[in-house]
Amino acid sequence: MDFLNYAFMQRALLAAVLVGITAPAVGIYLVQRRQALMGDGIGHVAMTGVGLGFLLSWSPVWMATAVSVVGAVTMELIRWYGRTRGDIALAMLFYGGMAGGVMFINLAPGGSNANLTSYLFGSLSTVSESDVTAICLLAAFVVVVTLGLRRQLFAVSQDEEFARVTGLPVRALNLLTAITAAVTVTVAMRVVGLLLVSALMVVPVAAAQQLSRSFAATFAIAVAIGVTVTIGGTVTSYYQDVPPGATIVLLTIGAFIALSVLAAPLARRRARALAAAQPAGDPAECAIPATRAAGDEVGV
């Protein structure tokens, strides 16, 4: 535990915990909406914000947040109105974001592509006190939205038409989801990196789904996985001198593989238990699944 004696590791671990909470908390809604790669697109756009931060001598984290939010809203508008040309517009937005970041950072005094490395792949030693302050504030926003509006966001993610019929402000909630995803990307970029953050938003959710079909349980398991792998990856990075972002993502994928292997026998055991509990005269197709009977399937 000697790493706790260093201030930079204390900051890195705090940032890692916040990333482990916020990334899966947003990712579960993106997975439900089948927008698993949205975080990757926002990460490309955020590069322009980082470059502008260096060029204008402003905080790259806050500038990346502003640019990411604009990019996320633009993506959502393209999804609504883009129709057949939407994919081309999104591609231009993503590649333009990357090109803008490289251009702006090279135009900055003393700037070079080397300055982007810690933002692209994460870095422990470069997490400053101002970064931690920004990450804490942004993470608080993400937690408030994802937990406070979980029922509404879940309804919109599952079925937009049904949510609209029930009177929910679907477009406003979609925009809020996109903005929250953009904020999450900038929260995670100092630890995981812009190019790898999407994996931490999606893979823990996919791993949690191997064990549970309940929304609430999946949410909790995904966050637990996220916190575990971010702390584990950060500590491993310190002792082994390896990139933290890559380490965290590989640990996340390892957790997914392990839970996938574990889930198969558990599923068979549940099936046998359900068959044993079924009354003798009832055909199998008439049985009510145990998870659905307990409200487990849609619990939020």
Side-chain angles (χ1 to χ4, degrees), residues 70-156:
V70 172
V73 171
T74 303
M75 290 180 209
E76 195 61 29
L77 293 175
I78 290 173
R79 188 174 74 89
W80 292 345
Y81 303 114
R83 303 193 184 278
T84 56
R85 296 288 182 178
D87 56 339
I88 298 175
L90 286 174
M92 291 172 58
L93 182 66
F94 297 164
Y95 299 139
M98 293 181 64
V102 173
M103 179 61 70
F104 288 137
I105 204 165
N106 278 277
L107 291 175
S112 68
N113 290 342
N115 297 115
L116 277 175
T117 302
S118 64
Y119 292 91
L120 293 177
F121 303 105
S123 175
L124 297 181
S125 60
T126 58
V127 180
S128 65
E129 291 186 6
S130 61
D131 289 336
V132 171
T133 300
I135 290 171
C136 288
L137 292 174
L138 295 171
F141 168 79
V142 173
V143 171
V144 168
V145 171
T146 55
L147 289 180
L149 296 175
R150 64 189 183 280
R151 296 183 183 276
Q152 293 89 335
L153 294 176
F154 174 80
V156 172

Side-chain angles (χ1 to χ4, degrees), residues 25-277:
V26 174
I28 192 169
Y29 299 108
L30 298 182
V31 171
Q32 293 288 333
R33 290 156 57 97
R34 293 177 175 81
Q35 293 180 332
L37 295 180
M38 185 177 185
D40 189 52
I42 295 174
H44 286 68
V45 176
M47 289 177 61
T48 292
V50 173
L52 277 174
F54 278 98
L55 179 63
L56 301 176
S57 298
W58 291 351
S59 168
V61 174
W62 287 113
M63 183 60 71
T65 301
V67 173
S68 297
V69 168
V70 172
V73 171
T74 303
M75 290 180 209
E76 195 61 29
L77 293 175
I78 290 173
R79 188 174 74 89
W80 292 345
Y81 303 114
R83 303 193 184 278
T84 56
R85 296 288 182 178
D87 56 339
I88 298 175
L90 286 174
M92 291 172 58
L93 182 66
F94 297 164
Y95 299 139
M98 293 181 64
V102 173
M103 179 61 70
F104 288 137
I105 204 165
N106 278 277
L107 291 175
S112 68
N113 290 342
N115 297 115
L116 277 175
T117 302
S118 64
Y119 292 91
L120 293 177
F121 303 105
S123 175
L124 297 181
S125 60
T126 58
V127 180
S128 65
E129 291 186 6
S130 61
D131 289 336
V132 171
T133 300
I135 290 171
C136 288
L137 292 174
L138 295 171
F141 168 79
V142 173
V143 171
V144 168
V145 171
T146 55
L147 289 180
L149 296 175
R150 64 189 183 280
R151 296 183 183 276
Q152 293 89 335
L153 294 176
F154 174 80
V156 172
S157 300
Q158 286 292 102
D159 190 334
E160 286 190 7
E161 292 302 321
F162 177 77
R164 187 175 289 109
V165 169
T166 60
L168 290 175
V170 172
R171 288 193 173 181
L173 289 170
N174 281 336
L175 280 175
L176 184 59
T177 301
I179 292 170
T180 307
V183 171
T184 303
V185 168
T186 54
V187 167
M189 70 179 182
R190 299 300 273 149
V191 177
V192 185
L194 292 173
L195 296 184
L196 298 173
V197 62
S198 185
L200 195 59
M201 297 170 75
V202 173
V203 180
V205 177
Q209 287 176 335
Q210 304 301 310
L211 299 180
S212 174
R213 293 184 180 180
S214 162
F215 177 83
T218 300
F219 189 104
I221 295 171
V223 169
I225 293 171
V227 172
T228 301
V229 297
T230 50
I231 293 176
T234 302
V235 174
T236 302
S237 176
Y238 169 78
Y239 282 113
Q240 301 298 325
D241 193 24
V242 291
T247 306
I248 290 169
V249 171
L250 290 175
L251 287 176
T252 310
I253 294 173
F256 172 81
I257 294 173
L259 291 179
S260 297
V261 172
L262 178 64
L266 285 177
R268 289 194 293 269
R269 185 179 302 175
R270 289 172 182 165
R272 288 195 297 267
L274 179 62

